[in-house]
């Protein structure tokens, strides 16, 4: 069955960096675009970034552009989100999701990122 | 960006009730509207896509309708496992999908 497992979340100070990983299994990872979505309680769900199946095309929300980098390693069935210059308002649970025709069919369980001094 | 709104923000329902949640887009999105269910501490789960198509495995008591800017999610005969938060999401404008703020359905 399809499984997506995020890791790498934690507590960091403003300005610091963090790298999230998403390990995929149960499907041919290299066939699908992947997405990062974040959720702040009481605020809702926010799209963060997309990457094409090959990794050659990436997109970012304006709120993270220039600070976050999405990447993937199809040989390792893994998706990544490198987050630099973190801000307090980046605090959220980050989900990776498998994308099919703009549908987010499968989601991971989420990784909590807390940015606080 | 396309803004999504939902109403109500929360509602209370009894087992067996019929529940309707409304989602509105700030501009026409044709039928590019999806619904997700989220339970506390869990990831969202895709329920309905392209406004009215039930995702595989989703009970038939869930249904969706609408096009353009106005959409509804209906749960007929609410069951205990349906108490959750429901989000709509537009997939008309990509990249940059956007979600509604959510509707919390709890027990009356």
């Amino acid at each position: 069955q399809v499984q997506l497992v995020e890791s790498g979340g934690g507590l960091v100070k403003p300005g610091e960096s963090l790298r999230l990983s998403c390990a995929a299994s149960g499907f041919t990872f290299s066939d699908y675009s992947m997405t990062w979505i974040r959720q702040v309680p009481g605020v809702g769900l926010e799209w963060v970034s997309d990457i094409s199946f090959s990794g050659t095309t990436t997109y970012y929300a304006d709120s993270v552009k220039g600070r976050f980098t999405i990447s993937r390693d199809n040989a390792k069935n893994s998706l990544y989100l490198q987050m630099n210059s973190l801000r307090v308002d980046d605090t959220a649970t980050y989900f990776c999701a498998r994308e099919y025709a703009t549908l987010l069919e499968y989601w991971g369980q989420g990784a909590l990122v807390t940015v606080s001094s | 960006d396309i803004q999504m709104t939902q109403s109500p923000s929360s509602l209370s329902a009894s087992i067996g009730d019929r529940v309707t949640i409304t989602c509105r887009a700030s501009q026409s999105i044709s039928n590019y509207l999806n619904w997700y269910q989220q339970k506390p501490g869990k990831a969202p789960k895709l329920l309905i896509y392209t406004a009215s198509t039930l995702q595989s495995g989703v009970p038939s008591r869930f249904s969706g309708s609408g096009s353009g800017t106005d959409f509804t999610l209906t749960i007929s005969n609410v069951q205990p496992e349906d108490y959750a938060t429901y989000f709509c999401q537009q997939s008309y404008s990509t990249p940059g999908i956007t979600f509604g703020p959510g509707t919390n359905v709890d027990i009356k």
Side-chain angles (χ1 to χ4, degrees):
Chain A
Q1 72 282 19
V2 172
Q3 273 202 309
L4 298 168
V5 180
E6 299 94 340
S7 60
L11 172 64
V12 296
K13 292 181 169 53
E16 293 185 343
S17 298
L18 208 56
R19 188 196 199 204
L20 300 182
S21 299
C22 172
S25 61
F27 65 101
T28 304
F29 182 68
S30 57
D31 282 351
Y32 292 88
S33 296
M34 298 293 293
T35 299
W36 286 100
I37 301 287
R38 66 186 181 184
Q39 184 172 34
V40 178
V43 176
L45 293 158
E46 180 188 18
W47 169 76
V48 174
S49 183
D50 274 353
I51 187 166
S52 62
F53 64 93
S54 63
T56 55
T57 304
T58 59
Y59 301 99
Y60 298 93
D62 287 344
S63 57
V64 307
K65 201 173 294 183
R67 300 186 299 121
F68 289 13
T69 302
I70 190 172
S71 62
R72 66 191 295 162
D73 185 336
N74 286 343
K76 294 184 178 179
N77 292 336
S78 292
L79 174 73
Y80 306 101
L81 186 67
Q82 177 67 42
M83 303 184 292
N84 298 332
S85 303
L86 281 161
R87 310 190 299 221
V88 170
D89 62 359
D90 292 319
T91 295
T93 297
Y94 286 73
F95 296 97
C96 63
R98 189 183 91 171
E99 185 183 330
Y100 177 73
T102 75
L103 299 180
L104 303 177
E105 293 181 295
Y106 294 96
W107 299 55
Q109 84 288 353
L112 178 61
V113 172
T114 303
V115 185
S116 174
S117 54
Chain B
D1 287 3
I2 298 175
Q3 309 302 317
M4 307 300 294
T5 57
Q6 285 182 238
S7 61
S9 57
S10 66
L11 64 91
S12 296
S14 300
I15 303 297
D17 280 356
R18 180 184 180 91
V19 162
T20 298
I21 299 168
T22 297
C23 176
R24 178 164 287 173
S26 60
Q27 65 182 73
S28 177
I29 58 171
S30 185
N31 67 339
Y32 290 90
L33 190 284
N34 311 309
W35 290 97
Y36 296 84
Q37 176 195 66
Q38 186 179 32
K39 297 183 179 179
K42 301 293 187 182
K45 170 189 170 184
L46 178 63
L47 290 179
I48 289 172
Y49 59 94
T50 55
S52 60
T53 305
L54 220 57
Q55 173 71 340
S56 174
V58 173
S60 58
R61 62 181 179 272
F62 289 92
S63 64
S65 65
S67 67
T69 60
D70 295 314
F71 303 86
T72 58
L73 171 69
T74 299
I75 314 172
S76 59
N77 188 20
V78 167
Q79 296 300 298
E81 59 268 31
D82 300 338
Y83 293 105
T85 300
Y86 294 85
F87 296 93
C88 60
Q89 173 240 326
Q90 65 82 17
S91 54
Y92 178 84
S93 173
T94 62
I97 57 173
T98 48
F99 295 84
T103 296
N104 183 57
V105 177
D106 63 18
I107 302 172
K108 183 184 284 185

